[in-house]
Amino acid sequence: MLGRVPYFRSLSVAELRELARSCSSRTLAPGETLFEEGAPCTHLFVIATGRIEVRQISLRGREQVFHTEQAGAALGEGPLFDGGGYIASAVAVEAARVLSLSRPRLIALCRTHPGVTLAIIEALARRIRRFAGLVSDLAFRPVPERLARHLVATAERRPLTPGLELDLQLTQAQLAARLGTVRELVARALAQLEQAGVISRTGRRVVVRDVAGLLALAERGGE
């Protein structure tokens, strides 16, 4: 499992085995919290199985999902280096098993293996770029455009063609948390796209009707 993590791909099999002996394991039930926003960061976590969602919740209960990670992904590396607490909470979306590596062990590894250090820097840079995109979306893109971008991303590597069916697998409240808005505005945006002939809906399933229209909304830069 450690060998699947990009940070550790430069390590030999013997080094991975030694690193594995330093790890502890924990299982999480669906909805269980791995770490909470503001808590001291003491470990790097590696997801062995399942999916974990990283999110913030405001004092009024409004939720913002930053990203969802699955097996092979690492969590919590940023605060390990700046000494602060976690910037968000991590919650299991489904049953999960997580490996943890202590901060002193990771720091020692970075000092002796530059390849590990560079891999972590690269991952953190990608995360900063992703957060910058999120901030830009929240600041400049209306909800229908954010929704269109999410629908395009949901297609993943499948070609966008008329009739393509997308399974959102989310309630409108959950979708709102990913788009940085509220359920009512998501419902309104879905209705707008449907009325414009861009999509049609059956429950949580969305069928793409107008590919050009969907892409135009998704690629619009905001005002």
Side-chain angles (χ1 to χ4, degrees):
M1 173 51 62
L2 292 178
R4 293 175 57 187
V5 180
Y7 298 167
F8 306 134
R9 286 177 183 165
S10 62
L11 300 180
S12 67
V13 173
E15 289 168 333
L16 284 171
R17 287 174 178 162
E18 181 182 355
L19 187 64
R21 285 193 287 269
S22 303
C23 291
S24 57
S25 177
R26 175 183 173 187
T27 57
L28 299 170
E32 189 174 353
T33 298
L34 175 62
F35 54 77
E36 293 188 350
E37 178 183 354
C41 181
T42 58
H43 288 78
L44 174 76
F45 297 101
V46 174
I47 304 173
T49 61
R51 291 187 302 135
I52 293 180
E53 191 174 77
V54 178
R55 62 197 187 194
Q56 285 185 338
I57 299 178
S58 73
L59 293 176
R60 295 184 177 181
R62 181 168 165 179
E63 184 179 313
Q64 173 66 60
V65 174
F66 291 142
H67 51 98
T68 303
E69 304 292 352
Q70 53 191 357
L75 298 171
E77 58 275 78
L80 283 175
F81 292 96
D82 72 3
Y86 293 109
I87 63 171
S89 299
V91 179
V93 178
E94 58 192 31
R97 186 168 70 90
V98 178
L99 307 178
S100 60
L101 185 68
S102 70
R103 181 181 186 275
R105 184 69 179 88
L106 180 64
I107 297 297
L109 186 66
C110 288
R111 286 175 174 156
T112 56
H113 292 78
V116 172
T117 307
L118 290 173
I120 292 176
I121 292 173
E122 182 180 349
L124 290 175
R126 284 197 302 269
R127 196 158 291 171
I128 290 171
R129 191 177 297 277
R130 184 191 305 169
F131 284 153
L134 177 61
V135 170
S136 177
D137 279 354
L138 295 178
F140 303 120
R141 294 181 189 275
V143 175
E145 292 179 12
R146 292 183 230 164
L147 175 60
R149 285 168 66 87
H150 180 81
L151 294 176
V152 171
T154 301
E156 295 179 330
R157 297 183 180 179
R158 291 176 294 170
L160 274 174
T161 56
L164 176 65
E165 187 175 284
L166 307 175
D167 188 354
L168 295 182
Q169 298 181 335
L170 300 169
T171 66
Q172 289 186 5
Q174 291 170 328
L175 186 54
R178 283 158 178 75
L179 300 181
T181 185
V182 294
R183 185 189 63 78
E184 292 78 9
L185 292 183
V186 167
R188 190 181 304 170
L190 283 166
Q192 288 175 359
L193 266 60
E194 192 168 21
Q195 291 167 5
V198 175
I199 63 171
S200 61
R201 290 185 293 160
T202 303
R204 297 181 189 177
R205 294 186 179 275
V206 171
V207 177
V208 178
R209 298 301 182 192
D210 180 358
V211 174
L214 182 64
L215 290 174
L217 277 172
E219 294 169 1
R220 192 174 296 170
E223 297 180 358

